[in-house]
Coordinates of all heavy atoms in Angstrom, one line a residue:
M5 N 14.4 -21.0 -8.8 CA 15.2 -19.9 -8.6 C 16.2 -20.2 -7.4 O 15.8 -20.8 -6.4 CB 14.3 -18.7 -8.2 CG 15.1 -17.4 -7.9 SD 14.0 -16.0 -7.5 CE 13.3 -15.6 -9.1
G6 N 17.4 -19.9 -7.6 CA 18.4 -20.3 -6.6 C 18.6 -19.3 -5.5 O 17.9 -18.3 -5.4
E7 N 19.6 -19.6 -4.7 CA 19.9 -18.7 -3.6 C 20.4 -17.3 -4.2 O 21.1 -17.3 -5.2 CB 21.1 -19.3 -2.8 CG 21.5 -18.5 -1.6 CD 20.4 -18.6 -0.5 OE1 19.6 -19.5 -0.4 OE2 20.5 -17.6 0.3
R8 N 20.0 -16.2 -3.5 CA 20.5 -14.9 -4.0 C 21.9 -14.7 -3.6 O 22.4 -15.1 -2.6 CB 19.6 -13.8 -3.3 CG 18.2 -13.8 -3.8 CD 17.5 -12.6 -3.4 NE 17.3 -12.6 -2.0 CZ 16.7 -11.6 -1.3 NH1 16.3 -10.5 -1.9 NH2 16.6 -11.6 0.0
T9 N 22.6 -13.9 -4.5 CA 24.0 -13.6 -4.2 C 24.1 -12.5 -3.2 O 23.1 -11.8 -2.9 CB 24.7 -13.1 -5.5 OG1 24.1 -11.9 -5.9 CG2 24.6 -14.1 -6.6
E10 N 25.2 -12.3 -2.6 CA 25.4 -11.2 -1.6 C 25.1 -9.9 -2.2 O 24.5 -9.0 -1.6 CB 26.9 -11.3 -1.0 CG 27.1 -12.4 -0.1 CD 26.1 -12.5 1.1 OE1 25.9 -11.4 1.7 OE2 25.6 -13.6 1.4
A11 N 25.5 -9.7 -3.5 CA 25.2 -8.4 -4.2 C 23.7 -8.2 -4.3 O 23.2 -7.1 -4.1 CB 25.9 -8.4 -5.5
Q12 N 23.0 -9.3 -4.6 CA 21.5 -9.1 -4.7 C 20.9 -8.8 -3.4 O 20.0 -8.0 -3.3 CB 21.0 -10.5 -5.3 CG 21.2 -10.7 -6.8 CD 20.8 -12.0 -7.2 OE1 21.0 -13.0 -6.5 NE2 20.3 -12.1 -8.4
K13 N 21.4 -9.5 -2.3 CA 20.9 -9.2 -1.0 C 21.2 -7.7 -0.6 O 20.3 -7.1 0.0 CB 21.6 -10.2 0.0 CG 21.1 -11.6 -0.2 CD 21.9 -12.5 0.8 CE 21.5 -14.0 0.6 NZ 22.3 -14.8 1.5
R14 N 22.3 -7.2 -0.9 CA 22.7 -5.8 -0.6 C 21.8 -4.9 -1.3 O 21.3 -3.9 -0.8 CB 24.1 -5.5 -0.8 CG 25.1 -6.1 0.2 CD 26.5 -5.5 0.1 NE 27.0 -5.7 -1.3 CZ 27.7 -6.8 -1.7 NH1 27.9 -7.8 -0.9 NH2 28.1 -6.8 -3.0
A15 N 21.6 -5.2 -2.6 CA 20.7 -4.3 -3.5 C 19.3 -4.3 -3.0 O 18.6 -3.3 -2.9 CB 20.8 -4.8 -4.9
H16 N 18.8 -5.5 -2.6 CA 17.4 -5.6 -2.1 C 17.3 -4.8 -0.8 O 16.3 -4.0 -0.6 CB 17.0 -7.0 -1.9 CG 15.6 -7.2 -1.4 ND1 15.3 -7.4 -0.1 CD2 14.4 -7.1 -2.1 CE1 14.0 -7.5 0.0 NE2 13.4 -7.3 -1.2
K17 N 18.3 -4.9 0.1 CA 18.2 -4.2 1.4 C 18.2 -2.7 1.1 O 17.5 -1.9 1.7 CB 19.4 -4.6 2.2 CG 19.4 -3.9 3.6 CD 20.6 -4.3 4.4 CE 20.5 -3.6 5.8 NZ 21.7 -3.7 6.6
K18 N 19.1 -2.2 0.2 CA 19.1 -0.8 -0.1 C 17.8 -0.3 -0.7 O 17.3 0.8 -0.3 CB 20.3 -0.5 -1.1 CG 20.5 0.9 -1.4 CD 21.7 1.1 -2.3 CE 21.9 2.6 -2.6 NZ 23.0 2.9 -3.5
Y19 N 17.2 -1.1 -1.5 CA 15.9 -0.7 -2.1 C 14.8 -0.6 -1.1 O 14.0 0.3 -1.0 CB 15.5 -1.8 -3.2 CG 14.2 -1.7 -3.8 CD1 13.9 -0.7 -4.7 CD2 13.1 -2.5 -3.3 CE1 12.6 -0.5 -5.2 CE2 11.8 -2.4 -3.8 CZ 11.6 -1.4 -4.8 OH 10.3 -1.2 -5.3
M20 N 14.8 -1.6 -0.1 CA 13.8 -1.7 0.9 C 13.9 -0.5 1.9 O 12.9 -0.2 2.6 CB 13.8 -3.0 1.6 CG 13.3 -4.2 0.7 SD 11.7 -3.9 -0.1 CE 10.6 -4.0 1.3
E21 N 15.1 0.0 2.0 CA 15.3 1.2 3.0 C 14.5 2.4 2.6 O 14.3 3.3 3.4 CB 16.8 1.5 3.1 CG 17.6 0.4 3.9 CD 19.1 0.6 3.8 OE1 19.5 1.6 3.1 OE2 19.8 -0.1 4.6
K22 N 14.0 2.4 1.3 CA 13.3 3.6 0.9 C 11.8 3.6 1.3 O 11.1 4.6 1.2 CB 13.3 3.6 -0.7 CG 14.6 3.7 -1.3 CD 14.4 3.6 -2.8 CE 15.8 3.6 -3.5 NZ 15.7 3.5 -5.0
F23 N 11.4 2.5 1.9 CA 10.0 2.3 2.3 C 9.8 2.2 3.8 O 10.7 1.8 4.5 CB 9.5 1.0 1.6 CG 9.6 1.1 0.1 CD1 10.6 0.5 -0.6 CD2 8.6 1.8 -0.6 CE1 10.7 0.6 -2.0 CE2 8.7 1.9 -2.0 CZ 9.7 1.3 -2.7
V24 N 8.6 2.4 4.2 CA 8.2 2.2 5.6 C 7.0 1.2 5.5 O 6.3 1.2 4.5 CB 7.8 3.4 6.4 CG1 9.0 4.3 6.6 CG2 6.7 4.2 5.7
E25 N 6.7 0.5 6.6 CA 5.5 -0.3 6.6 C 4.4 0.3 7.4 O 4.7 1.0 8.4 CB 5.9 -1.7 7.2 CG 6.7 -2.5 6.4 CD 6.9 -3.9 6.9 OE1 6.2 -4.4 7.8 OE2 7.9 -4.6 6.4
V26 N 3.2 0.1 7.0 CA 2.0 0.6 7.6 C 1.1 -0.6 7.9 O 0.8 -1.4 7.0 CB 1.2 1.7 6.8 CG1 0.0 2.1 7.5 CG2 2.2 2.9 6.5
K27 N 0.8 -0.8 9.2 CA -0.1 -1.9 9.5 C -1.5 -1.5 9.4 O -2.0 -0.5 9.9 CB 0.2 -2.4 11.0 CG -0.5 -3.6 11.3 CD -0.2 -4.0 12.8 CE 1.1 -4.8 12.8 NZ 1.4 -5.5 14.0
V28 N -2.3 -2.4 8.7 CA -3.7 -2.2 8.5 C -4.4 -3.5 9.1 O -4.0 -4.6 8.7 CB -4.1 -2.0 7.0 CG1 -5.6 -1.9 6.9 CG2 -3.4 -0.8 6.5
R29 N -5.3 -3.3 9.9 CA -6.0 -4.4 10.5 C -7.3 -4.7 9.8 O -8.1 -3.8 9.5 CB -6.3 -4.2 12.0 CG -5.1 -4.0 12.8 CD -5.4 -4.0 14.3 NE -4.2 -3.6 15.1 CZ -3.3 -4.5 15.5 NH1 -3.4 -5.8 15.1 NH2 -2.3 -4.1 16.2
M30 N -7.5 -6.0 9.5 CA -8.8 -6.4 8.8 C -9.0 -7.8 9.0 O -8.0 -8.5 9.4 CB -8.8 -6.1 7.3 CG -7.7 -6.7 6.5 SD -7.6 -6.3 4.7 CE -7.0 -4.6 4.8
T31 N -10.2 -8.3 8.8 CA -10.5 -9.7 9.0 C -9.8 -10.5 7.9 O -9.5 -10.0 6.8 CB -12.0 -10.0 9.0 OG1 -12.5 -9.7 7.7 CG2 -12.8 -9.2 10.0
P32 N -9.6 -11.8 8.2 CA -9.0 -12.6 7.1 C -9.9 -12.7 5.9 O -9.3 -12.7 4.7 CB -8.9 -14.0 7.8 CG -8.9 -13.8 9.2 CD -9.7 -12.5 9.4
E33 N -11.2 -12.6 6.0 CA -12.1 -12.6 4.9 C -11.9 -11.3 4.1 O -11.9 -11.4 2.8 CB -13.6 -12.7 5.4 CG -13.8 -14.0 6.0 CD -13.4 -14.1 7.5 OE1 -13.1 -13.0 8.1 OE2 -13.5 -15.2 8.1
R34 N -11.8 -10.2 4.7 CA -11.6 -8.9 4.0 C -10.3 -8.9 3.3 O -10.1 -8.5 2.2 CB -11.6 -7.8 5.0 CG -11.3 -6.4 4.3 CD -12.5 -5.5 4.6 NE -12.2 -4.1 4.1 CZ -12.8 -3.6 3.1 NH1 -13.8 -4.2 2.5 NH2 -12.5 -2.4 2.7
R35 N -9.2 -9.4 3.9 CA -7.9 -9.5 3.3 C -8.0 -10.4 2.0 O -7.5 -10.0 1.0 CB -6.9 -10.1 4.2 CG -5.5 -10.2 3.6 CD -4.4 -10.7 4.5 NE -4.7 -12.2 4.7 CZ -3.9 -13.0 5.4 NH1 -2.9 -12.5 6.0 NH2 -4.2 -14.2 5.5
S36 N -8.7 -11.5 2.1 CA -8.8 -12.4 0.9 C -9.6 -11.6 -0.2 O -9.2 -11.8 -1.4 CB -9.6 -13.6 1.3 OG -8.8 -14.4 2.2
S37 N -10.6 -10.9 0.2 CA -11.3 -10.1 -0.8 C -10.5 -9.0 -1.5 O -10.5 -8.9 -2.7 CB -12.5 -9.5 -0.1 OG -13.2 -8.6 -1.0
V38 N -9.6 -8.3 -0.7 CA -8.8 -7.3 -1.2 C -7.7 -7.9 -2.1 O -7.4 -7.5 -3.2 CB -8.1 -6.5 0.0 CG1 -6.9 -5.6 -0.6 CG2 -9.1 -5.7 0.7
Q39 N -7.1 -9.1 -1.7 CA -6.2 -9.7 -2.5 C -6.7 -10.2 -3.8 O -6.1 -10.1 -4.9 CB -5.5 -10.9 -1.7 CG -4.6 -10.5 -0.6 CD -4.2 -11.6 0.3 OE1 -5.0 -12.6 0.5 NE2 -3.0 -11.6 0.8
A40 N -7.9 -10.8 -3.8 CA -8.6 -11.3 -5.0 C -8.9 -10.1 -5.9 O -8.7 -10.2 -7.2 CB -9.9 -12.0 -4.7
H41 N -9.3 -9.0 -5.4 CA -9.6 -7.8 -6.2 C -8.4 -7.3 -6.9 O -8.4 -7.0 -8.1 CB -10.3 -6.7 -5.4 CG -10.6 -5.5 -6.2 ND1 -11.8 -5.5 -7.0 CD2 -10.0 -4.4 -6.4 CE1 -11.9 -4.4 -7.6 NE2 -10.8 -3.6 -7.3
A42 N -7.3 -7.3 -6.1 CA -6.0 -6.8 -6.7 C -5.6 -7.7 -7.9 O -5.2 -7.2 -8.9 CB -4.9 -6.8 -5.6
V43 N -5.6 -9.0 -7.6 CA -5.3 -10.0 -8.7 C -6.1 -9.8 -9.9 O -5.6 -9.8 -11.0 CB -5.3 -11.4 -8.2 CG1 -5.3 -12.4 -9.3 CG2 -4.3 -11.7 -7.1
A44 N -7.5 -9.6 -9.7 CA -8.4 -9.4 -10.8 C -8.0 -8.1 -11.6 O -8.3 -8.0 -12.8 CB -9.8 -9.3 -10.3
Q45 N -7.4 -7.1 -10.9 CA -7.0 -5.9 -11.6 C -5.6 -6.0 -12.2 O -5.1 -5.0 -12.8 CB -7.1 -4.7 -10.6 CG -8.4 -4.4 -10.0 CD -9.4 -4.1 -11.1 OE1 -9.2 -3.3 -12.0 NE2 -10.5 -4.8 -11.1
G46 N -5.0 -7.1 -12.0 CA -3.6 -7.3 -12.5 C -2.5 -6.6 -11.7 O -1.5 -6.2 -12.3
E47 N -2.7 -6.5 -10.4 CA -1.7 -5.7 -9.6 C -1.5 -6.5 -8.3 O -2.3 -7.3 -7.9 CB -2.1 -4.3 -9.4 CG -3.4 -4.0 -8.8 CD -3.9 -2.6 -8.9 OE1 -3.1 -1.7 -9.2 OE2 -5.1 -2.4 -8.7
S48 N -0.5 -6.1 -7.6 CA -0.2 -6.7 -6.3 C -1.2 -6.0 -5.3 O -1.8 -5.0 -5.6 CB 1.2 -6.4 -5.9 OG 1.4 -5.0 -5.6
T49 N -1.3 -6.7 -4.2 CA -2.1 -6.1 -3.1 C -1.6 -4.7 -2.7 O -2.4 -3.8 -2.5 CB -2.2 -7.0 -1.9 OG1 -2.7 -8.3 -2.3 CG2 -3.1 -6.6 -0.8
T50 N -0.3 -4.6 -2.5 CA 0.3 -3.3 -2.1 C 0.0 -2.3 -3.2 O -0.4 -1.1 -2.9 CB 1.8 -3.5 -2.0 OG1 2.0 -4.4 -0.9 CG2 2.5 -2.1 -1.6
A51 N 0.2 -2.6 -4.4 CA -0.1 -1.6 -5.5 C -1.6 -1.2 -5.5 O -1.9 0.0 -5.7 CB 0.3 -2.2 -6.9
F52 N -2.5 -2.2 -5.3 CA -3.9 -1.8 -5.3 C -4.2 -0.9 -4.1 O -4.9 0.1 -4.2 CB -4.8 -3.1 -5.1 CG -6.2 -2.8 -4.7 CD1 -7.0 -2.1 -5.6 CD2 -6.6 -3.2 -3.5 CE1 -8.3 -1.8 -5.2 CE2 -7.9 -2.9 -3.1 CZ -8.8 -2.2 -3.9
I53 N -3.7 -1.2 -2.9 CA -3.9 -0.4 -1.7 C -3.4 1.0 -2.0 O -4.1 2.0 -1.7 CB -3.4 -1.0 -0.5 CG1 -4.2 -2.3 -0.1 CG2 -3.4 0.0 0.7 CD1 -3.6 -3.1 1.0
N54 N -2.2 1.1 -2.5 CA -1.6 2.5 -2.8 C -2.4 3.2 -3.8 O -2.6 4.4 -3.7 CB -0.1 2.4 -3.2 CG 0.8 2.1 -2.0 OD1 0.6 2.8 -1.0 ND2 1.7 1.3 -2.2
R55 N -2.9 2.5 -4.8 CA -3.8 3.2 -5.9 C -5.1 3.7 -5.2 O -5.5 4.8 -5.5 CB -4.1 2.2 -7.0 CG -4.9 2.8 -8.1 CD -5.0 1.9 -9.3 NE -5.6 0.6 -9.1 CZ -6.9 0.4 -9.0 NH1 -7.7 1.3 -9.3 NH2 -7.3 -0.9 -8.8
A56 N -5.7 2.8 -4.4 CA -6.9 3.2 -3.7 C -6.7 4.5 -2.8 O -7.5 5.4 -2.8 CB -7.4 2.1 -2.8
I57 N -5.6 4.5 -2.1 CA -5.3 5.7 -1.3 C -5.1 6.9 -2.2 O -5.7 8.0 -1.9 CB -4.0 5.4 -0.5 CG1 -4.3 4.4 0.6 CG2 -3.5 6.8 0.2 CD1 -3.1 3.8 1.3
D58 N -4.3 6.8 -3.3 CA -4.1 7.9 -4.2 C -5.3 8.4 -4.8 O -5.6 9.6 -4.8 CB -3.1 7.5 -5.3 CG -1.7 7.2 -4.8 OD1 -1.3 7.6 -3.7 OD2 -0.9 6.6 -5.6
E59 N -6.2 7.5 -5.3 CA -7.4 8.0 -5.9 C -8.4 8.6 -4.9 O -9.0 9.6 -5.2 CB -8.1 6.8 -6.6 CG -7.3 6.3 -7.8 CD -8.0 5.1 -8.5 OE1 -9.0 4.6 -8.0 OE2 -7.3 4.6 -9.4
T60 N -8.5 8.1 -3.7 CA -9.3 8.7 -2.7 C -8.8 10.1 -2.2 O -9.6 11.0 -2.1 CB -9.4 7.7 -1.4 OG1 -10.0 6.5 -1.8 CG2 -10.3 8.4 -0.4
M61 N -7.5 10.2 -2.1 CA -7.0 11.5 -1.7 C -7.2 12.5 -2.8 O -7.6 13.7 -2.5 CB -5.5 11.4 -1.4 CG -5.2 10.7 -0.1 SD -3.5 10.3 0.3 CE -2.8 12.0 0.4
K62 N -7.0 12.1 -4.0 CA -7.3 13.0 -5.2 C -8.7 13.4 -5.2 O -9.0 14.6 -5.4 CB -6.9 12.3 -6.5 CG -7.0 13.2 -7.7 CD -6.5 12.5 -8.9 CE -6.7 13.3 -10.2 NZ -6.3 12.6 -11.4
R63 N -9.6 12.5 -5.0 CA -11.1 12.8 -5.0 C -11.4 13.7 -3.9 O -12.2 14.7 -4.0 CB -11.9 11.5 -4.9 CG -13.4 11.7 -5.0 CD -14.2 10.5 -4.7 NE -14.0 10.1 -3.4 CZ -13.7 8.8 -3.0 NH1 -13.6 7.9 -3.8 NH2 -13.6 8.6 -1.7
D64 N -10.9 13.4 -2.6 CA -11.2 14.2 -1.5 C -10.7 15.6 -1.7 O -11.4 16.6 -1.2 CB -10.6 13.6 -0.2 CG -11.3 12.3 0.2 OD1 -12.4 12.0 -0.3 OD2 -10.7 11.7 1.1
N65 N -9.5 15.8 -2.2 CA -8.9 17.1 -2.4 C -9.7 17.9 -3.5 O -9.7 19.1 -3.5 CB -7.5 17.0 -2.7 CG -6.6 16.6 -1.6 OD1 -7.0 16.8 -0.4 ND2 -5.5 15.9 -1.8
A66 N -10.3 17.2 -4.4 CA -11.1 17.9 -5.5 C -12.5 18.3 -5.0 O -13.1 19.2 -5.6 CB -11.1 17.0 -6.7
A67 N -13.0 17.6 -4.0 CA -14.4 17.9 -3.5 C -14.4 19.2 -2.7 O -13.6 19.4 -2.0 CB -14.8 16.7 -2.7
P68 N -15.5 19.9 -3.0 CA -15.6 21.2 -2.2 C -15.9 20.8 -0.8 O -16.6 19.8 -0.5 CB -16.8 21.9 -2.8 CG -17.5 20.8 -3.6 CD -16.5 19.8 -4.0
K69 N -15.3 21.6 0.1 CA -15.5 21.3 1.6 C -16.9 21.8 2.0 O -17.4 22.9 1.5 CB -14.5 22.0 2.4 CG -13.0 21.6 2.0 CD -12.8 20.2 2.4 CE -11.3 19.9 2.1 NZ -11.1 18.6 1.8
A70 N -17.6 21.1 2.9 CA -18.9 21.5 3.4 C -18.7 22.7 4.3 O -17.7 22.8 5.0 CB -19.5 20.3 4.2
A71 N -19.7 23.6 4.2 CA -19.7 24.8 5.0 C -19.6 24.4 6.5 O -20.4 23.6 7.0 CB -20.9 25.6 4.7
G72 N -18.7 25.1 7.2 CA -18.6 24.9 8.7 C -17.9 23.7 9.0 O -17.9 23.3 10.2
C73 N -17.3 23.0 8.1 CA -16.6 21.7 8.4 C -15.1 21.9 8.1 O -14.7 22.0 6.9 CB -17.1 20.6 7.6 SG -16.3 19.0 7.9
S74 N -14.3 22.1 9.1 CA -12.9 22.3 8.9 C -12.1 21.1 8.9 O -10.9 21.0 8.6 CB -12.4 23.2 10.0 OG -12.5 22.6 11.2
G75 N -12.8 19.9 9.3 CA -12.1 18.7 9.3 C -11.3 18.4 10.6 O -10.7 17.4 10.7
E76 N -11.4 19.4 11.5 CA -10.7 19.2 12.8 C -11.7 18.7 13.8 O -12.8 19.0 13.8 CB -10.1 20.5 13.2 CG -9.0 21.0 12.3 CD -8.4 22.4 12.8 OE1 -8.6 22.7 14.0 OE2 -7.8 23.0 12.0
S77 N -11.1 17.9 14.7 CA -12.0 17.4 15.8 C -12.1 18.5 16.9 O -11.2 19.3 17.0 CB -11.3 16.2 16.5 OG -11.2 15.1 15.6
Q78 N -13.2 18.5 17.6 CA -13.4 19.5 18.6 C -13.5 18.9 19.9 O -13.8 17.8 20.1 CB -14.7 20.3 18.3 CG -14.6 21.1 17.1 CD -15.8 21.9 16.8 OE1 -16.7 22.2 17.7 NE2 -16.0 22.5 15.6

């Protein structure tokens, strides 16, 4: 693959402006495990992490809340 053209560079920059980065800390071993799992699922690490977040949020929102637990810290 050759050098990207100026138009390609501008298009990539414009595309990336739609996103923000979130830093997640983990051990190198855990990162390797997450990356391997993503590859085994046929997706990128980013796609896997986003899917895991989406599925967890959907599950959490569908679960009935425990009595007396508002989710706020006291």
Side-chain angles (χ1 to χ4, degrees):
M5 184 180 284
E7 184 72 23
R8 290 191 294 176
T9 66
E10 288 302 316
Q12 288 172 321
K13 289 177 186 178
R14 284 192 307 272
H16 183 260
K17 182 179 180 191
K18 185 176 179 180
Y19 173 77
M20 292 305 292
E21 287 173 353
K22 298 176 186 178
F23 301 97
V24 296
E25 289 187 15
V26 177
K27 186 179 278 193
V28 178
R29 296 188 190 277
M30 62 183 72
T31 64
E33 296 82 11
R34 176 124 173 116
R35 180 180 71 177
S36 294
S37 177
V38 169
Q39 288 172 326
H41 183 81
V43 168
Q45 298 302 308
E47 57 193 344
S48 69
T49 303
T50 299
F52 164 67
I53 292 170
N54 280 316
R55 182 171 59 84
I57 291 168
D58 291 344
E59 289 178 5
T60 300
M61 288 173 64
K62 184 177 179 181
R63 184 188 66 225
D64 289 350
N65 288 332
K69 303 293 183 209
C73 181
S74 64
E76 295 181 16
S77 299
Q78 295 185 13

